[in-house]
Coordinates of all heavy atoms in Angstrom, one line a residue:
P1521 N 75.4 -62.7 46.3 CA 76.7 -62.6 45.6 C 77.4 -61.3 46.0 O 76.8 -60.5 46.7 CB 76.3 -62.5 44.1 CG 74.9 -61.9 44.1 CD 74.2 -62.4 45.3
L1551 N 71.5 -59.4 47.1 CA 70.5 -58.7 46.2 C 69.3 -58.3 47.0 O 68.7 -57.2 46.7 CB 70.1 -59.7 45.1 CG 71.2 -60.0 44.1 CD1 70.8 -61.2 43.2 CD2 71.6 -58.8 43.3
L1554 N 69.9 -54.9 48.6 CA 69.7 -53.8 47.6 C 68.2 -53.6 47.4 O 67.8 -52.4 47.4 CB 70.2 -54.2 46.2 CG 71.8 -54.3 46.1 CD1 72.1 -54.7 44.7 CD2 72.4 -53.0 46.4
A1555 N 67.4 -54.6 47.4 CA 66.0 -54.4 47.1 C 65.2 -53.9 48.3 O 64.2 -53.2 48.1 CB 65.3 -55.8 46.7
V1562 N 60.7 -55.2 42.7 CA 62.1 -54.6 42.5 C 63.0 -55.7 41.8 O 62.9 -56.9 42.1 CB 62.7 -54.3 43.9 CG1 63.9 -53.5 43.8 CG2 61.7 -53.5 44.7
A1563 N 63.8 -55.2 41.0 CA 64.8 -56.0 40.2 C 66.2 -55.6 40.5 O 66.8 -54.9 39.7 CB 64.5 -55.9 38.7
P1564 N 66.8 -56.0 41.7 CA 68.1 -55.7 42.0 C 69.1 -56.5 41.1 O 68.9 -57.6 40.7 CB 68.3 -56.1 43.4 CG 67.3 -57.3 43.6 CD 66.2 -56.9 42.7
M1565 N 70.2 -55.8 40.7 CA 71.2 -56.5 39.9 C 72.6 -56.0 40.3 O 72.8 -54.8 40.7 CB 71.0 -56.3 38.4 CG 71.1 -54.9 37.9 SD 72.7 -54.5 37.3 CE 72.7 -55.3 35.7
M1566 N 73.6 -56.9 40.1 CA 75.0 -56.5 40.3 C 75.7 -57.0 39.0 O 75.5 -58.0 38.5 CB 75.6 -57.3 41.5 CG 75.1 -57.0 42.8 SD 76.0 -57.9 44.1 CE 75.1 -57.4 45.6
D1567 N 76.6 -56.1 38.5 CA 77.4 -56.4 37.3 C 78.3 -57.6 37.6 O 79.0 -57.7 38.5 CB 78.2 -55.2 37.0 CG 79.0 -55.4 35.6 OD1 78.7 -56.4 34.9 OD2 79.8 -54.5 35.3
A1568 N 78.2 -58.6 36.7 CA 79.0 -59.8 36.8 C 80.0 -59.9 35.6 O 80.6 -60.9 35.4 CB 78.1 -61.1 36.8
N1572 N 77.0 -60.2 31.7 CA 76.2 -61.0 32.7 C 75.9 -60.2 33.9 O 76.6 -59.2 34.2 CB 76.9 -62.3 33.1 CG 77.1 -63.2 31.9 OD1 76.2 -63.4 31.1 ND2 78.3 -63.7 31.7
C1573 N 75.0 -60.6 34.7 CA 74.7 -59.9 35.9 C 74.1 -60.9 36.9 O 73.5 -61.9 36.6 CB 73.7 -58.8 35.7 SG 72.1 -59.3 35.2
F1574 N 74.3 -60.6 38.2 CA 73.6 -61.3 39.3 C 72.3 -60.6 39.5 O 72.3 -59.3 39.7 CB 74.4 -61.3 40.6 CG 75.8 -61.9 40.4 CD1 76.9 -61.2 40.6 CD2 75.9 -63.3 40.1 CE1 78.2 -61.7 40.4 CE2 77.2 -63.9 40.0 CZ 78.3 -63.1 40.2
S1575 N 71.2 -61.3 39.5 CA 69.9 -60.6 39.6 C 68.9 -61.4 40.3 O 69.0 -62.6 40.4 CB 69.5 -60.1 38.2 OG 69.2 -61.2 37.4
A1576 N 67.8 -60.8 40.7 CA 66.6 -61.4 41.2 C 65.4 -60.5 41.1 O 65.6 -59.3 40.7 CB 66.8 -61.7 42.7
G1596 N 72.5 -60.2 30.4 CA 71.8 -59.0 30.4 C 70.4 -59.0 29.8 O 69.5 -58.4 30.3
Y1599 N 67.9 -60.7 32.1 CA 67.5 -59.7 33.2 C 66.5 -58.7 32.6 O 65.5 -58.4 33.2 CB 68.8 -59.0 33.7 CG 68.5 -57.9 34.7 CD1 68.0 -58.2 36.0 CD2 68.7 -56.6 34.3 CE1 67.7 -57.1 36.8 CE2 68.4 -55.5 35.2 CZ 67.9 -55.8 36.4 OH 67.6 -54.8 37.3
V1603 N 62.6 -57.8 33.9 CA 62.2 -56.5 34.3 C 60.9 -56.1 33.5 O 60.0 -55.6 34.1 CB 63.3 -55.5 34.0 CG1 62.8 -54.0 34.2 CG2 64.5 -55.7 34.9
V1609 N 61.0 -52.2 39.1 CA 61.9 -51.1 39.2 C 63.3 -51.6 39.3 O 63.6 -52.5 40.0 CB 61.6 -50.3 40.5 CG1 62.7 -49.2 40.7 CG2 60.2 -49.6 40.4
I1610 N 64.2 -51.1 38.4 CA 65.6 -51.5 38.4 C 66.4 -50.9 39.6 O 66.4 -49.7 39.8 CB 66.3 -51.2 37.1 CG1 65.6 -51.9 35.9 CG2 67.8 -51.5 37.1 CD1 66.1 -51.5 34.5
V1611 N 67.0 -51.8 40.3 CA 67.9 -51.3 41.4 C 69.3 -51.9 41.0 O 69.6 -53.0 41.1 CB 67.5 -51.8 42.8 CG1 68.4 -51.3 43.8 CG2 66.1 -51.4 43.1
H1612 N 70.1 -51.0 40.5 CA 71.4 -51.4 39.9 C 72.6 -51.0 40.9 O 72.8 -49.9 41.3 CB 71.6 -50.6 38.6 CG 72.9 -50.9 38.0 ND1 73.6 -50.0 37.1 CD2 73.7 -52.0 38.0 CE1 74.7 -50.5 36.7 NE2 74.8 -51.7 37.2
N1613 N 73.3 -52.1 41.3 CA 74.5 -51.8 42.1 C 75.6 -51.2 41.2 O 76.1 -51.9 40.2 CB 75.0 -53.1 42.7 CG 76.1 -52.9 43.7 OD1 76.1 -52.0 44.5 ND2 77.2 -53.7 43.6
T1614 N 76.0 -50.0 41.5 CA 77.0 -49.3 40.7 C 78.4 -49.6 41.3 O 78.8 -48.9 42.3 CB 76.7 -47.8 40.6 OG1 76.5 -47.3 41.9 CG2 75.5 -47.6 39.8
L1615 N 79.1 -50.5 40.8 CA 80.4 -51.0 41.4 C 81.4 -49.9 41.6 O 82.1 -49.8 42.6 CB 81.0 -52.1 40.6 CG 80.1 -53.4 40.6 CD1 80.8 -54.4 39.7 CD2 79.9 -54.0 41.9
S1619 N 77.5 -47.9 45.4 CA 76.2 -47.5 45.9 C 75.2 -48.2 45.0 O 75.6 -49.1 44.2 CB 76.1 -46.0 45.7 OG 76.1 -45.6 44.4
F1620 N 73.9 -48.0 45.2 CA 73.0 -48.5 44.2 C 72.2 -47.3 43.7 O 72.1 -46.3 44.3 CB 72.1 -49.6 44.8 CG 71.2 -49.3 45.9 CD1 69.9 -48.8 45.5 CD2 71.5 -49.4 47.2 CE1 69.0 -48.5 46.5 CE2 70.6 -49.1 48.2 CZ 69.3 -48.6 47.9

Side-chain angles (χ1 to χ4, degrees):
L1551 292 167
L1554 291 179
V1562 190
M1565 65 91 77
M1566 296 181 181
D1567 185 9
N1572 298 312
C1573 66
F1574 302 114
S1575 62
Y1599 173 71
V1603 170
V1609 172
I1610 295 173
V1611 181
H1612 177 207
N1613 187 46
T1614 52
L1615 297 176
S1619 63
F1620 67 86

